[in-house]
Amino acid sequence: MSDPGVPPGDLAGLAAGFAGELRRAGLAVSPGQAERFAGAVALLAPGTRAELRNCALATLVCGPGEIDVLDAVLRRVFAGSAADPRASRPAPVFGATAARTAADGAARGAGEGTRELPVRAVASATDRLATRDFAGLTPRELAELATVMRTIVLSTPARLSRRRRPSPHGGGIDLRATLAAARRTGGHPLRLRRSAPRPRPRRLVVLCDISGSMEPYARAMLQLLYCAAGGRRAEVFTFATRLTRLTPVLRGARPSAALSRAGKAAKDWSGGTRIADSLAEFNTRFGRAGLARGAVVLIVSDGWDTGDPADLGRQMARLSRVTHRIVWVNPRTATPGFRPLTGGMAAAWPYCDAVVSAHSLAALGELTAALAGRP
């Protein structure tokens, strides 16, 4: 698989614009600190304002006295409200608010290194490519969409974990907290401390078809999983004639390098399609071990299978018994009048909670809603 490269100038311009806002607020932020901030954002891909704040604290702040100034600038630049910067709202680091801030910073202080032209170029490329089918994009055009893909949040429904959190109306008594509070009242537990299970997002498991007919869409989906907030916590597998686990390969690399590594790790890239056999291997090796239990499973495939459709139906039935939700991405469903007539798609359809096309950037909204369980 070819290396799509990196979109030019997007993150550097935004980081320089944010550093300029901090300098105007009174913080002595050096160009080296701005560079380290951009590197931290590129490495960690923060999906919430709290994660973005941690990147800024680690690279742009030199002492406790500067934290309040940083929080104020974060609220103004990246949130647009007076909400607490430590809240867990998604941070539109690469979105329209940040792009406008970087451009405004360039207009007010060109001597501070903020570059306006690249940000405008990224915005115009996004508008131009938003409705283009992923199959028709060149590797470079796909790389240009990485900026906006970083603003997408792939969230899954919450589940109650074994870990507990303090809750005044919780159904269980937190014995440790109750005894700790009793030390302040002479050892008498005058008030019972309660706790409730802590909600956690369900695991996202992705099975991506990399056969010849799905190769362009596979590149787009893998890039989305790398860039999207939350995607980095997904378990990712590819399949054509065999199953390959790509989770370790996609960690700790730029999108271009991650796609290149994925192409090298999956030896059957652009090969034939054996969906049933690949699902059988996943169910036996990973599903039975608990990886898919209670998870949201995303299958990316056009359903063209060389095997017996009955085998695929049996494997989908096995998978549906342990998962919370199955979402199938089939780019062919974007065709007007589409019907699941191919053997593989017809066999899998009854076990899918949602089927979406996700064939373009504009169509990814249906995918995020399906993963979250929204209509």
Side-chain angles (χ1 to χ4, degrees):
M1 183 176 58
S2 59
D3 188 345
V6 181
D10 51 345
L11 179 56
L14 296 178
F18 181 49
E21 292 292 330
L22 289 174
R23 282 192 288 271
R24 278 183 282 276
L27 295 188
V29 178
S30 67
Q33 287 176 293
E35 183 179 358
R36 287 193 294 272
F37 173 68
V41 170
L43 179 63
L44 300 177
T48 65
R49 199 147 32 103
E51 293 175 349
L52 175 65
R53 181 176 183 268
N54 290 337
C55 292
L57 285 175
T59 57
L60 301 175
V61 172
C62 297
E66 298 180 352
I67 295 179
D68 290 341
V69 178
L70 173 69
D71 288 342
V73 175
L74 275 171
R75 283 195 297 268
R76 185 175 73 253
V77 172
F78 290 105
S81 68
D84 183 356
R86 287 161 292 201
S88 57
R89 292 176 49 198
V93 183
F94 302 93
T97 302
R100 286 196 300 270
T101 301
D104 292 343
R108 291 194 301 267
E112 296 177 12
T114 306
R115 292 173 293 174
E116 184 177 7
L117 181 59
V119 177
R120 287 181 174 173
V122 170
S124 62
T126 299
D127 295 337
R128 176 172 53 87
L129 302 175
T131 58
R132 288 268 304 275
D133 194 297
F134 287 140
L137 297 182
T138 66
R140 184 173 184 82
E141 288 174 332
L142 181 61
E144 291 177 5
L145 296 181
T147 297
V148 71
M149 283 182 174
R150 288 192 176 97
T151 69
I152 298 174
V153 178
L154 298 181
S155 61
T156 56
R159 65 175 180 84
L160 298 180
S161 67
R162 294 183 180 180
R163 295 182 177 273
R164 304 183 71 85
R165 58 182 174 85
S167 174
H169 306 292
I173 296 176
D174 190 335
L175 184 59
R176 178 176 297 178
T178 299
L179 294 178
R183 290 200 295 266
R184 296 191 290 271
T185 56
H188 300 286
L190 300 181
R191 182 179 178 183
L192 295 178
R193 306 286 180 170
R194 296 186 174 275
S195 64
R198 186 185 301 274
R200 293 185 58 186
R202 293 181 180 274
R203 179 185 290 115
L204 175 62
V205 179
V206 182
L207 302 172
C208 189
D209 185 344
I210 56 173
S211 61
S213 61
M214 283 295 297
E215 194 271 342
Y217 300 103
R219 288 190 295 119
M221 286 297 105
L222 291 177
Q223 177 171 296
L224 173 66
L225 289 169
Y226 178 87
C227 294
R232 63 184 180 276
R233 292 184 289 272
E235 282 284 344
V236 183
F237 297 80
T238 59
F239 66 89
T241 56
R242 64 180 183 178
L243 187 73
T244 304
R245 182 171 179 259
L246 289 186
T247 306
V249 176
L250 296 179
R251 289 175 180 163
R254 291 179 177 271
S256 58
L259 290 176
S260 178
R261 290 181 184 179
K264 295 177 181 178
K267 303 299 183 183
D268 54 344
W269 196 278
S270 294
T273 314
R274 295 168 57 183
I275 305 177
D277 292 347
S278 300
L279 274 182
E281 183 179 356
F282 174 81
N283 286 331
T284 301
R285 292 180 54 193
F286 301 98
R288 186 177 297 174
L291 187 65
R293 188 169 301 279
V296 175
V297 174
L298 174 64
I299 301 177
V300 183
S301 177
D302 53 15
W304 294 353
D305 190 12
T306 58
D308 187 348
D311 291 339
L312 178 57
R314 282 191 291 270
Q315 296 305 322
M316 287 292 294
R318 286 181 63 190
L319 186 63
S320 67
R321 285 194 288 268
V322 297
T323 61
H324 174 75
R325 185 173 179 80
I326 297 178
V327 177
W328 193 295
V329 169
N330 185 345
R332 314 301 175 190
T333 60
T335 305
F338 171 84
R339 294 292 185 273
L341 301 179
T342 61
M345 197 69 246
W349 196 279
Y351 303 100
C352 299
D353 295 282
V355 178
V356 297
S357 66
H359 66 289
S360 67
L361 186 66
L364 293 182
E366 293 182 356
L367 172 60
T368 59
L371 291 177
R374 299 191 302 269

